[in-house]
Amino acid sequence: MQPPYLKVNEIFYSIQGEGPHTGMPAVFVRLAGCSMGCDFCDTRYAFAQGTEMSLQDIVARMESYPCRNVVLTGGEPTEQDFPPLASLLKKRGWTVHMESNGAHEADVSAIDFLVISPKKYVCQEMLTKAHAIKIVVGQKSDLEDLKKYFHYAGTHTTVCLQPESNLQENIDLCVDLIKQNPFLRHSLQTHKMANIK
Ligand code: SF4
């Protein structure tokens, strides 16, 4: 597959359910593929399944919705050549958000709001560019290891703790950590609670 084609798992219109923009209507473009292989991944269906689409076809589909916020997500969007799509959308007046695991250095110059959710490894450069760092916290998490992300919290970057799978024991863990470190923020997966896509 050569650019300007992207392998797209799905395009849908919904409401951002997690992170600092919870509640924001957005068109989600889920690009296929991710090589990270996390145990708790809730988008495994996007690893292989997808349709090759031209940028023009992607934008035409997106512009059938009455909204100009986009969330580029996956899978892992940086495993495909997403920058031409991000630039095109920006030129057409979209506000471009992207969610990435930050494992690969990428051109994010056309991204208005970059959320990095570090997993097994992460690129330092991507962390410094992030507007939000979203850390998934579960019972198996190494809490001392997660603390290395806390110092990124500041005026440019929000650091959120997100309880894995919305489980109560993970919520309790996050709440304790946030109360001890009040510069952190909580991120629940509200779309799962509300049973919306
Ligand atoms: S990085 Fe994200 S998309 Fe990739 S396997 Fe992990 S949770 Fe799933």
Side-chain angles (χ1 to χ4, degrees), residues 10-27:
E10 57 181 349
I11 297 173
F12 60 97
Y13 182 35
S14 189
I15 293 172
Q16 175 61 284
E18 59 191 57
H21 286 91
T22 296
M24 175 192 75
V27 177

Side-chain angles (χ1 to χ4, degrees), residues 18-64:
E18 59 191 57
H21 286 91
T22 296
M24 175 192 75
V27 177
F28 290 76
V29 178
R30 188 181 305 287
L31 298 183
C34 179
S35 55
M36 188 65 81
C38 306
D39 296 340
F40 54 79
C41 182
D42 55 6
T43 55
R44 286 171 189 278
Y45 60 89
F47 287 179
Q49 291 166 16
T51 307
E52 288 181 18
M53 293 178 73
S54 68
L55 301 193
Q56 290 69 25
D57 286 349
I58 295 170
V59 172
R61 175 83 181 281
M62 294 170 68
E63 294 190 344
S64 67

